[in-house]
Amino acid sequence: MMQYRFITPNRVGKWYRSLADAQRSAMAIGAGFLCPAGSFTPYRGTVLELRDSGRS
């Protein structure tokens, strides 16, 4: 299963199980914002990090 988090030059977000959850929480660390229509806009310098948490 993929996990997602946003990283800014000054902060690192928590890992989330869905991209939508990570996007909703991104504003708390200053990584971006969700517009009322639901699309996510990252701030300059924000990086989306992914990892596979699946077991082999």
Side-chain angles (χ1 to χ4, degrees), residues 8-28:
T8 70
N10 300 316
R11 300 196 62 190
V12 176
K14 294 184 349 182
W15 287 105
Y16 291 94
R17 291 185 178 194
S18 75
L19 179 57
D21 288 341
Q23 289 173 336
R24 279 192 292 273
S25 300
M27 201 158 95

Side-chain angles (χ1 to χ4, degrees), residues 32-51:
F33 65 94
L34 281 170
C35 75
S39 62
F40 180 73
T41 302
Y43 293 134
R44 185 176 304 188
T46 297
V47 175
L48 174 62
E49 188 173 42
L50 294 93
R51 74 176 178 186

